[in-house]
Amino acid sequence: MSNNNNLKTIAILGGTGKEGKGLAYRWARAGYRVLIGSRTPQKALDAAAELSQKLDNESHIEGLDNPTAAMQADIVVLTVPYAAHRATLESLKDALQGKLLIDVTVPLVPPKVRKVQMPPAGSATQEAQEILGENVEVCAAFQNISHEHLLQDASVTCDVLVSGTSPEARDETIKLVEAAGLSGWDAGPIENSVVIEGLTSVLIGINKKYGSTHAGIKITGVNKQSAD
Amino acid sequence: MSNNNNLKTIAILGGTGKEGKGLAYRWARAGYRVLIGSRTPQKALDAAAELSQKLDNESHIEGLDNPTAAMQADIVVLTVPYAAHRATLESLKDALQGKLLIDVTVPLVPPKVRKVQMPPAGSATQEAQEILGENVEVCAAFQNISHEHLLQDASVTCDVLVSGTSPEARDETIKLVEAAGLSGWDAGPIENSVVIEGLTSVLIGINKKYGSTHAGIKITGVNKQSAD
């Protein structure tokens, strides 16, 4: 299931939204085989065609229904609205066993999207882990990135914090963050996902208060070159 | 209770620790009347004398026991270890009524200080609010700053996120952040304190993983001059 660069296959479920399309574009550009999943296969086909054209048809992007995309992938990325989070995961539980799930979901509770309001599991990412069971590695990532940035080629001035079930899963996720042209940081165990998801509400509030449109964060005081 | 600049009086409880002393130094330097509180009054006197000397005895810094400091202040800052958080607040509940409490406490649970582990109230700041009642405004601030930085005059490359019970309390706290020479951001309602407190565990983990000693964060993508 890898392309000729031995890169893995990534499925992006709910991949026809702006965030999903942005990630698909960046990973396809980096040479990964990308499967865009949707509840509506025609939408997935359209998104795949649009992105293929943007990449001069030299990339590998397919549009599929969500279950087929999940089944064929090595790594599955979830970019559905929080309202569809539980139902999507429950329906794909079997297809996801043994894989890495990267959960991009932010559990916003409208209309008070500037207030951190986590589900009983502690965060959407922990909720995903509860639903999928211990045979699925789950990481949180990309919650704080403005989706407008992902479909552009310019560099993004927001770092990506990555929490998750194991150091290995976090390293694998950080590799994909870097492949997308972003700077990723190991933010620790899955219990820390509340910080990453909650930071989105903080940034939405900062945008409202300070009249900005794409507040983000950068980690300071660390020379990453010295990382192991 | 104000000095001749009409600046307010700030009590720093647990103010003989490194973080408390650093904040005391910076606010005294900015002209505030600063009361260092301690369970051991002699320690408070010693810290006040040390900081006064560092400021050429031109500042107003006093050392007192915690209750007297709290009673005499307009704004009270809590910098005790989390283990002393509840007992300190319960013993000072009366003295704090009608005032603003700035809670610097991070609810770390040793030995797993890199894992976010919040108290049942949701965060230490919300716990303080529960203990003190609705007649006390409570804000979270300064949780992510390396205390070594505060006693130096150099600029600090870490922003200060401020959450709290009202926009007015957050504005008042941000004013003190700026007086200390740091950059403060309104991070929203008190429920968002979990993000600020939890970020400390994330930064401790980043220091461990990447070999740094004072990881911090900066908000990006916002031109603060346009703030209202």
Side-chain angles (χ1 to χ4, degrees):
Chain A
M1 282 195 217
S2 299
N3 69 7
N4 54 11
N5 290 322
N6 284 322
L7 291 174
K8 292 186 172 174
T9 299
I10 308 170
I12 305 177
L13 309 184
T16 61
K18 284 183 184 170
E19 185 135 47
K21 277 195 335 194
L23 290 169
Y25 169 68
R26 285 177 171 246
W27 284 324
R29 192 181 59 184
Y32 285 87
R33 180 173 175 241
V34 175
L35 312 177
I36 293 182
S38 173
R39 282 180 306 174
T40 315
Q42 187 58 48
K43 278 195 187 174
L45 288 169
D46 291 348
E50 176 195 336
L51 294 175
S52 289
Q53 192 176 18
K54 192 169 157 76
L55 288 159
D56 300 328
N57 299 308
E58 288 176 358
S59 59
H60 187 131
I61 311 183
E62 284 177 66
L64 297 164
D65 61 87
N66 279 331
T68 308
M71 197 72 83
Q72 291 191 11
D74 303 302
I75 298 169
V76 177
V77 180
L78 188 62
T79 61
V80 297
Y82 182 61
H85 188 251
R86 174 173 288 277
T88 304
L89 288 169
E90 283 175 347
S91 72
L92 298 172
K93 183 173 174 176
D94 290 342
L96 293 172
Q97 294 305 304
K99 297 182 178 175
L100 166 61
L101 177 79
I102 301 176
D103 198 342
V104 183
T105 309
V106 180
L108 298 176
V109 185
K112 297 204 169 176
V113 296
R114 286 177 277 165
K115 180 163 102 175
V116 174
Q117 298 176 84
M118 291 291 140
S123 62
T125 311
Q126 286 163 285
E127 191 175 51
Q129 217 270 322
E130 281 186 9
I131 294 167
L132 299 173
E134 61 183 19
N135 198 29
V136 180
E137 299 264 25
V138 181
C139 286
F142 302 109
Q143 280 82 354
N144 309 138
I145 304 289
S146 301
H147 48 64
E148 298 91 31
H149 284 158
L150 293 172
L151 269 169
Q152 297 161 358
D153 291 308
S155 69
V156 174
T157 59
C158 182
D159 285 355
V160 176
L161 300 176
V162 176
S163 57
T165 40
S166 74
E168 294 74 23
R170 299 195 294 270
D171 284 346
E172 178 97 46
T173 302
I174 290 168
K175 204 173 140 189
L176 289 188
V177 172
E178 310 276 351
L182 302 163
S183 184
W185 296 91
D186 187 333
I190 193 168
E191 291 83 356
N192 296 4
S193 305
V194 58
V195 173
I196 307 176
E197 297 175 20
L199 198 52
T200 302
S201 288
V202 170
L203 294 173
I204 293 171
I206 284 176
N207 280 336
K208 171 84 174 168
K209 165 109 183 179
Y210 299 96
S212 49
T213 54
H214 45 274
I217 63 139
K218 276 274 182 195
I219 297 295
T220 62
V222 185
N223 178 1
K224 228 185 193 178
Q225 267 58 51
S226 66
D228 48 337
Chain B
M1 285 196 214
S2 298
N3 69 6
N4 54 11
N5 291 322
N6 284 322
L7 290 175
K8 292 185 170 173
T9 298
I10 307 170
I12 305 176
L13 309 184
T16 62
K18 284 182 183 172
E19 184 135 46
K21 279 198 331 199
L23 290 170
Y25 170 67
R26 285 175 173 248
W27 284 325
R29 191 181 60 183
Y32 285 87
R33 179 171 176 242
V34 175
L35 312 177
I36 293 182
S38 174
R39 280 180 308 175
T40 315
Q42 187 58 47
K43 279 193 186 175
L45 288 169
D46 292 347
E50 177 195 336
L51 294 176
S52 288
Q53 193 175 17
K54 193 168 156 74
L55 287 160
D56 300 328
N57 299 308
E58 288 176 356
S59 58
H60 186 132
I61 311 183
E62 284 177 66
L64 296 165
D65 61 87
N66 279 331
T68 307
M71 197 71 84
Q72 291 190 11
D74 303 301
I75 298 168
V76 177
V77 179
L78 188 62
T79 61
V80 297
Y82 182 61
H85 187 251
R86 173 173 290 277
T88 305
L89 288 170
E90 283 175 346
S91 71
L92 298 172
K93 183 173 176 176
D94 290 343
L96 293 172
Q97 293 305 304
K99 298 181 178 174
L100 166 62
L101 177 79
I102 300 175
D103 198 341
V104 183
T105 309
V106 179
L108 298 176
V109 185
K112 298 203 169 178
V113 297
R114 286 177 277 164
K115 180 164 102 175
V116 174
Q117 298 176 84
M118 291 292 140
S123 63
T125 311
Q126 285 163 285
E127 190 174 52
Q129 217 270 322
E130 280 185 10
I131 294 167
L132 299 173
E134 61 183 19
N135 197 30
V136 179
E137 299 263 25
V138 181
C139 285
F142 302 108
Q143 279 83 354
N144 309 137
I145 303 290
S146 300
H147 49 63
E148 298 91 31
H149 284 156
L150 292 172
L151 270 170
Q152 298 162 357
D153 291 308
S155 70
V156 174
T157 60
C158 182
D159 285 355
V160 176
L161 299 177
V162 176
S163 57
T165 40
S166 72
E168 294 74 24
R170 299 195 294 270
D171 283 347
E172 178 99 44
T173 302
I174 290 169
K175 203 173 142 189
L176 290 188
V177 172
E178 309 276 351
L182 302 162
S183 184
W185 296 91
D186 187 332
I190 193 167
E191 290 84 356
N192 295 4
S193 305
V194 58
V195 173
I196 307 177
E197 297 176 20
L199 198 52
T200 302
S201 287
V202 170
L203 294 172
I204 292 170
I206 284 176
N207 280 336
K208 172 84 173 166
K209 166 109 182 176
Y210 299 95
S212 50
T213 54
H214 46 272
I217 62 139
K218 277 274 184 196
I219 297 295
T220 61
V222 185
N223 179 0
K224 227 183 190 177
Q225 268 57 53
S226 66
D228 48 341

